[in-house]
């Protein structure tokens, strides 16, 4: 009897190993769903990890949150933000794309998901056609649309047009972090224009207002580049 049980265990382990090799063990997926912790406890744990700069581990915790609560846009935004902080841009992109498929368009975070996806396409993955397509789906006078359009103008070396749109967006800014993002983009434009005063001025205010972890990463990289 014990021999049969041992053989059964061995077969189960072999099947799981093969499943992992081929693309993931179903048992592991089920264990995530069956995690006994409430979503709030997992988020609290993840946020403590972020505080401790254990970003990869925090992203794994938010992956569990998404499995347990897949319709909430904020979970995807936070996980992708953490991934951007550690240069996992492709995985962040996948997370934003999952959100676009699973989160309702009337979710309060849907526009921000679209915005962040467009920016990671344009700024890090060079998927300009995809960014342009997302731009066309954004509300016509939204800050998010102005910002993405400004960034695409910047990519096309149309710097004056870019600055016009960034200034329009800055007139309607709603949060310090949003202001920081726009000023970071302005700093990129001023750098191309070789306007040192406005490059450093925009970047200084961006640094002092930034909260988004991916944006902080981008600002740090630009600061290192120009210094």
């Amino acid at each position: 009897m014990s021999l049969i049980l041992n053989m059964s265990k061995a077969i189960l382990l072999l099947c799981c190993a093969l499943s992992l090799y081929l693309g993931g063990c179903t048992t592991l997926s089920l264990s995530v769903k069956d995690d006994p912790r409430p979503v709030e406890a997992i988020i609290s744990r993840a946020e403590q990890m972020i505080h401790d700069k254990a970003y990869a581990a925090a992203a794994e915790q938010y992956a569990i949150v998404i499995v347990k609560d897949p319709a909430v846009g904020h979970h995807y935004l936070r996980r992708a933000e953490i991934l951007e902080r550690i240069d996992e841009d492709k995985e962040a992109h996948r997370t934003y794309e999952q959100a676009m498929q699973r989160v309702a368009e009337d979710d309060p975070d849907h526009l921000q998901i679209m915005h962040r996806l467009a920016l990671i396409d344009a700024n890090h993955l060079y998927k300009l056609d995809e960014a342009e397509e997302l731009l066309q789906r954004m509300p016509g006078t939204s800050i998010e649309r102005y910002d993405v359009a400004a960034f695409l103008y910047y990519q096309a070396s149309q710097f004056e047009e870019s600055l016009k749109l960034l200034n329009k967006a800055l007139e309607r800014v709603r949060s310090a972090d949003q202001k920081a993002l726009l000023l970071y983009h302005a700093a990129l434009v001023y750098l191309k224009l070789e306007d040192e005063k406005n490059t450093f001025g925009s970047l200084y205010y961006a640094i002092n207002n930034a909260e988004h972890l991916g944006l902080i990463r981008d600002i740090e990289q630009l600061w290192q580049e120009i210094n």
Side-chain angles (χ1 to χ4, degrees), residues 171-190:
E171 290 172 2
R172 306 177 59 188
V173 74
R174 298 187 299 269
S175 69
D177 192 59
Q178 197 173 55
K179 182 178 181 180
L181 178 63
L182 296 168
L183 288 171
Y184 161 67
H185 290 160
L188 291 173
V189 177
Y190 286 125

Side-chain angles (χ1 to χ4, degrees), residues 151-190:
F151 197 88
L152 291 173
Y153 275 128
Y154 157 74
Q155 293 281 47
S157 299
Q158 297 184 47
F159 303 127
E160 296 302 327
E161 292 299 322
S162 180
L163 288 175
K164 284 179 185 177
L165 288 176
L166 288 171
N167 283 324
K168 276 188 178 181
L170 282 165
E171 290 172 2
R172 306 177 59 188
V173 74
R174 298 187 299 269
S175 69
D177 192 59
Q178 197 173 55
K179 182 178 181 180
L181 178 63
L182 296 168
L183 288 171
Y184 161 67
H185 290 160
L188 291 173
V189 177
Y190 286 125

Side-chain angles (χ1 to χ4, degrees), residues 3 103 125 141:
L3 178 61
V103 176
L125 300 180
T141 58

Side-chain angles (χ1 to χ4, degrees), residues 111-112 115 138 142-149 174 178:
L111 180 56
Q112 190 179 353
H115 183 203
M138 295 177 183
S142 65
I143 292 174
E144 292 79 6
R145 185 182 178 107
Y146 285 147
D147 184 45
V148 174
R174 298 187 299 269
Q178 197 173 55

Side-chain angles (χ1 to χ4, degrees), residues 83-149:
L83 290 165
E84 287 186 53
R85 185 66 180 88
I86 55 175
D87 299 322
E88 292 287 348
D89 293 316
K90 289 183 179 179
E91 185 60 29
H93 180 271
R94 280 191 285 270
T95 302
Y96 288 131
E97 285 202 319
Q98 286 176 350
M100 290 293 292
Q101 295 166 6
R102 299 173 184 172
V103 176
E105 290 191 12
D106 59 358
D107 184 288
D109 290 314
H110 191 272
L111 180 56
Q112 190 179 353
I113 291 166
M114 198 184 304
H115 183 203
R116 292 292 176 182
L117 177 56
L119 288 179
I120 205 169
D121 280 338
N123 195 16
H124 295 290
L125 300 180
Y126 306 105
K127 298 184 176 186
L128 298 181
D129 289 343
E130 185 174 315
E132 177 70 31
E133 181 184 339
L134 289 164
L135 171 69
Q136 299 305 323
R137 296 166 60 184
M138 295 177 183
T141 58
S142 65
I143 292 174
E144 292 79 6
R145 185 182 178 107
Y146 285 147
D147 184 45
V148 174

